[in-house]
Amino acid sequence: METDRKLLDYYLALKSPEAAEWNLSPECLYAECMTRDYVRRYVALKDGIRVCNVGIGTGDWDDYLGYWLNGTGTLTSIDIDPEICSIFSMRQHREGHPNRSVVKNQNIFDVDLPSAYFDLVTLIGSTVIETGDFDRCIDACMSLLKREGCLLFMAHLSRNPVKELVDYAKDRDLRIEQLEQYDTFSKYPFYICKLKRNSLQNEIS
C-alpha cells in the first residue's frame, strides 16, 4: 500500500546517515529529555487544557505532549509543510497513539488560526528561526493564547540569545518565567522558559 510505503520511507529516513548522527547524538537526546522534563515540572495539567505545538518536525515532541496530556486535554499541531503533516497524522493513527493530535497544515502567520483559544503553546528548537521573523513569530504564538495562557519557548542560545527574548518581552510588556539555561554540551547550549502576559495587561485585554 502507498501508505505503508510512505511510513517505511519515513522510518528509514530517521536512521539515514544524514539524520541519524544528530538524532542519536547525546546533544539531541539531552535537549529532548530536558524539554520534556521542563513541561512536566512547570506546566500544570487541568481538565480540558488546550495545547498547541508550532512546528511538527519528526513529531516526537508532539507524541510526548499527547502522552503527557493523558486524556486530560487536546493537542493541536501546526506545520507549514503538507508532507510533514500527512506523515505525522498517518503515523500517529497507524501506531495507535492514545491521544492523537489535531493536525493543521498552516502557516503560523495565517490570520484564520484561532485567537485566544489555547492554554499552552509550545515553540521549540529551530522553528522560530525557520519562520524568518522572531518578533512576528512570537507575536503570532501569543495571539493563540487565552488571557492567562503561556508560551513554552525553547531555543539555541547562539541562534536566539536570551537578550533577544528579554528585549522582546520588555517591548511587549510580557514576563519571562522559569528561564533555565543548559550548557552541558558546548556545541548545543539552549534555554527553556515560559512567556506570559503581565497581570495588568490581562485585566485590560
Side-chain angles (χ1 to χ4, degrees):
M1 292 176 59
E2 183 180 355
T3 297
D4 292 336
R5 182 73 250 178
K6 283 186 175 182
L7 284 175
L8 176 60
D9 289 343
Y10 165 80
Y11 292 127
L12 291 175
L14 292 178
K15 298 296 184 181
S16 69
E18 181 181 358
E21 183 176 0
W22 167 249
N23 289 339
L24 299 176
S25 69
E27 292 89 345
C28 177
L29 297 175
Y30 178 72
E32 290 182 0
C33 180
M34 292 301 99
T35 308
R36 294 174 190 184
D37 179 61
Y38 183 97
V39 73
R40 187 181 62 181
R41 286 188 292 128
Y42 291 129
V43 180
L45 282 173
K46 62 179 182 179
D47 287 339
I49 186 173
R50 294 172 178 169
V51 180
C52 176
N53 177 51
V54 179
I56 295 171
T58 63
D60 290 342
W61 172 245
D62 303 76
D63 285 337
Y64 174 75
L65 287 175
Y67 282 110
W68 171 69
L69 288 168
N70 195 29
T72 61
T74 58
L75 172 65
T76 298
S77 300
I78 300 173
D79 201 287
I80 195 174
D81 189 319
E83 186 68 11
I84 283 177
C85 290
S86 174
I87 289 291
F88 173 63
S89 182
M90 189 188 308
R91 179 179 62 74
Q92 280 207 324
H93 177 75
R94 181 59 65 89
E95 292 175 354
H97 195 293
N99 199 31
R100 295 201 301 271
S101 178
V102 176
V103 180
K104 290 185 178 293
N105 176 210
Q106 290 187 261
N107 191 315
I108 185 58
F109 302 135
D110 287 351
V111 295
D112 62 339
L113 286 172
S115 177
Y117 183 78
F118 296 101
D119 300 285
L120 171 69
V121 172
T122 67
L123 182 67
I124 70 169
S126 62
T127 300
V128 69
I129 290 289
E130 292 169 4
T131 67
D133 192 325
F134 180 91
D135 287 8
R136 189 180 173 209
C137 179
I138 304 293
D139 285 345
C141 289
M142 293 300 297
S143 73
L144 299 177
L145 287 166
K146 294 178 182 178
R147 224 170 36 165
E148 298 293 335
C150 70
L151 172 66
L152 188 153
F153 183 59
M154 176 270 194
H156 195 293
L157 273 163
S158 65
R159 295 176 182 173
N160 296 112
V162 172
K163 185 180 184 305
E164 180 180 29
L165 184 66
V166 170
D167 290 344
Y168 168 86
K170 183 178 180 180
D171 184 59
R172 300 298 197 277
D173 193 28
L174 304 172
R175 70 179 185 272
I176 298 170
E177 296 184 348
Q178 277 100 30
L179 191 149
E180 295 190 355
Q181 296 189 43
Y182 304 83
D183 55 5
T184 298
F185 295 97
S186 59
K187 290 184 178 180
Y188 194 81
F190 61 95
Y191 65 94
I192 313 173
C193 67
K194 294 193 303 182
L195 199 61
K196 301 183 75 172
R197 296 180 178 90
N198 281 318
S199 298
L200 179 60
Q201 185 176 349
N202 286 337
E203 292 171 4
I204 64 177
S205 297

